[in-house]
Amino acid sequence: MPRNPLPPPPPPVHLRTWPDRDALLADRALAVGELTRRLLGGERLTLFLLLLAGLHVGWLIVGGALMSLDDGLVDPLSGLFAVLGACFGAAVMIPAGYAVASSVRRDRAARELLLQWAALDRDPARDARLRAPAPSVTWFLLSFGLCAAGLWLSFTVPAAARPGATTYAEVAYGMGAGLLLWVHGLIGLAKAVGHYRFAVRLLRAPGRPEPA
């Protein structure tokens, strides 16, 4: 997980020392731009995909162990290796899942800061860039594809199962992989749609009178 701290929140009203509105807008633009990059930038998208890959690698190892135990007669040595494989897969999945949860909490904190900085004033010329059409569309399309693939796996694998040919472990593995894709895609969709709605509301908000 990235360790770079988020920009600080705007100071309280009684501690604000901006000499004029231009200085306030300059600091606001820096904070809003950095927070938008943290939410939708290329580094964040790369981390999003790496965490998904980590979850699937762990689930692949767990699924392989489950399928090896579902073959019927298993000798003690094979059973031991299967249990060790399942433990190793869980050891990969648990940190990845914790990292996903931490990433969601960090995104929530960044969004709250973004709302606080944006509420200070309006700057239509700079706020127009907040829509970030290319990153937003990339997040939306990629996340939508993950959701679609996850739902397809979750329904297709059990529907295609045949008694005597498909094991319970194979069905569980396919449905688990689909669930991981679907949940991860929902996280990305919520991020893309939420940021777009925020940008639209900000640009449609009535302007503030410039202070004397």
Side-chain angles (χ1 to χ4, degrees):
M1 293 297 295
R3 296 298 181 184
N4 296 331
L6 294 172
V13 177
H14 63 283
L15 295 178
R16 294 175 185 174
T17 58
W18 285 293
D20 51 33
R21 184 169 181 261
D22 289 338
L24 183 151
L25 292 179
D27 286 349
R28 175 185 179 274
L30 287 174
V32 167
E34 176 64 15
L35 290 168
T36 302
R37 185 186 68 81
R38 296 290 185 92
L39 286 169
L40 300 176
E43 293 182 3
R44 184 65 187 84
L45 182 60
T46 301
L47 177 62
F48 177 80
L49 296 176
L50 287 176
L51 291 178
L52 176 62
L55 289 171
H56 271 273
V57 168
W59 182 241
L60 176 63
I61 299 173
V62 173
L66 292 176
M67 285 185 278
S68 68
L69 291 175
D70 205 15
D71 289 337
L73 296 176
V74 180
D75 59 273
L77 185 59
S78 299
L80 176 61
F81 279 113
V83 171
L84 291 177
C87 292
F88 180 73
V92 174
M93 288 189 66
I94 291 174
Y98 177 79
V100 170
S102 299
S103 177
V104 171
R105 289 194 298 267
R106 189 178 179 86
D107 285 346
R108 186 182 298 115
R111 180 172 174 78
E112 291 175 357
L113 288 174
L114 182 62
L115 294 174
Q116 293 176 24
W117 278 101
L120 288 178
D121 207 327
R122 290 194 68 243
D123 188 2
R126 292 171 177 169
D127 289 346
R129 294 179 296 180
L130 289 179
R131 289 195 179 190
S136 295
V137 171
T138 301
W139 274 91
F140 180 84
L141 293 179
L142 178 62
S143 301
F144 183 82
L146 292 177
C147 286
L151 288 176
W152 181 81
L153 275 176
S154 298
F155 287 103
T156 302
V157 170
R162 295 292 180 267
T166 308
T167 64
Y168 290 107
E170 290 172 345
V171 174
Y173 171 73
M175 294 184 66
L179 180 62
L180 291 175
L181 288 172
W182 183 65
V183 172
H184 218 65
L186 283 181
I187 294 173
L189 278 179
K191 178 197 292 287
V193 174
H195 184 82
Y196 178 78
R197 292 179 60 188
F198 156 75
V200 169
R201 288 198 306 268
L202 183 64
L203 293 174
R204 288 180 179 176
R208 295 186 179 184
E210 187 169 340

